[in-house]
Amino acid sequence: MEQLLVALDVDTAAEARALAAQLGGAVGGFKIGSRLFTSAGPALVEELASRDRVFLDLKFHDIPNTVAGAVAAATRLGVWMLNVHASGGLAMMRAARAAAVEEAARRSRPAPLVIAVTMLTSLDQQALMEIGLQASVADQVGRLAALTESAGLDGVVASPQEIEIIRRRCGQGFAIVTPGIRGAADEHGDQSRTATAADALAAGATYLVVGRPIIAAADPRAAAEKMVAECRVGRAGQAGRARQAGRKRRSS
Ligand code: C5P
């Protein structure tokens, strides 16, 4: 399923390669975050990006010039998507976008999608207060998503609970990448705002990022296939409900 991105949150290139080989064809791409990048480095990113879509999740957050340099470097590795923190501000996000477009043009390749993290999905209202933000989670996410869109970025990372707010404030073409996905029976662990894959897609997520529910499963491919199947059932149910609602509207 094109929309399912698997977080390769492991420590070695060997583990990452094994997961990528096991999951190949069943998922839409792989996310490489700070854990794997710090231990295995850019060579692994380039290697995986030559075969699959790679979302480089390093959440750049620095002065515009530094972020632009990092984005250009990621673009040279051939990544399909990368991200920055929206709280880095408008100038930083614009610099990130420009660097991606310019570096890709120099290499005659498509520019990577550049998206922004609104708020980490591990943060709740209490955590927001602790860092001195008085806004509600919903207001803060909505504000940062609108800022991201005005900087010309392609979308945001946001929890399932914020998809609706973002869809209301930003255009339909704006990508929403949603982590915090759990099976109905799973523990939430350190993720505060979670949903099932089917519910997140029904709410309007463009891509899902799933880590532990797949990579920590006894059989990662079977876990990914089960999630894809649940999304198909969810979609069929949704289409059925929409048809029923349409019939009711026509007969009333
Ligand atoms: O294991 P789990 O499914 O919770 O993994 C979610 C992944 O998404 C992790 O790699 C985490 O770093 C990432 N992520 C997140 N919240 C964000 C941005 C990225 O959980 N706002």
Side-chain angles (χ1 to χ4, degrees):
M1 186 175 78
E2 286 292 295
Q3 289 162 293
L4 179 57
L5 309 176
V6 174
L8 298 176
D9 290 333
V10 291
D11 287 318
T12 65
E15 287 170 279
R17 282 190 197 104
L19 276 168
Q22 231 180 334
L23 294 166
V27 303
F30 299 103
K31 182 175 86 66
I32 297 181
S34 49
R35 177 175 170 185
L36 182 60
F37 185 80
T38 306
S39 58
L44 179 71
V45 176
E46 201 164 20
E47 178 190 323
L48 293 185
S50 70
R51 289 193 290 269
D52 290 294
R53 298 200 304 197
V54 169
F55 167 21
L56 187 63
D57 175 28
L58 295 182
K59 304 183 180 72
F60 298 131
H61 190 177
D62 210 315
I63 58 171
N65 189 55
T66 303
V67 167
V71 168
T75 304
R76 288 195 289 279
L77 296 177
V79 305
W80 160 74
M81 179 154 76
L82 60 89
N83 61 1
V84 301
H85 268 286
S87 53
L90 199 57
M92 191 206 80
M93 288 195 278
R94 284 188 176 140
R97 175 90 213 127
V101 170
E102 283 159 23
E103 191 62 29
R106 262 196 287 278
R107 312 247 147 192
S108 307
R109 54 164 60 145
L113 297 170
V114 181
I115 63 170
V117 175
T118 51
M119 268 181 55
L120 295 174
T121 44
S122 54
L123 298 178
D124 58 12
Q125 197 63 56
Q126 170 73 22
L128 218 59
M129 299 271 287
E130 283 163 4
I131 58 168
L133 287 173
Q134 306 302 325
S136 69
V137 170
D139 284 349
Q140 185 66 7
V141 168
R143 176 181 303 128
L144 289 175
L147 191 70
T148 301
E149 192 177 39
S150 66
L153 265 53
D154 300 293
V156 287
V157 182
S159 89
Q161 277 77 9
E162 280 102 40
I163 295 171
E164 208 188 312
I165 305 162
I166 295 167
R167 279 278 167 251
R168 242 186 283 131
R169 289 189 69 153
C170 304
Q172 277 305 315
F174 196 62
I176 302 180
V177 180
T178 304
I181 302 298
R182 292 292 175 266
D186 287 350
E187 293 289 329
H188 293 173
D190 57 356
Q191 297 279 24
S192 296
R193 309 196 299 283
T194 65
T196 65
D199 286 348
L201 288 178
T206 317
Y207 298 104
L208 309 176
V209 169
V210 184
R212 288 160 291 183
I214 290 178
I215 67 166
D219 182 344
R221 190 174 178 100
E225 283 170 347
K226 183 164 176 266
M227 202 170 263
V228 170
E230 282 166 8
C231 291
R232 291 214 177 96
V233 172
R235 267 203 205 108
Q238 228 193 334
R241 281 192 295 280
R243 272 196 303 276
Q244 234 173 12
R247 271 198 298 272
K248 262 195 204 140
R249 265 197 305 275
R250 278 192 296 278
S251 64
S252 63

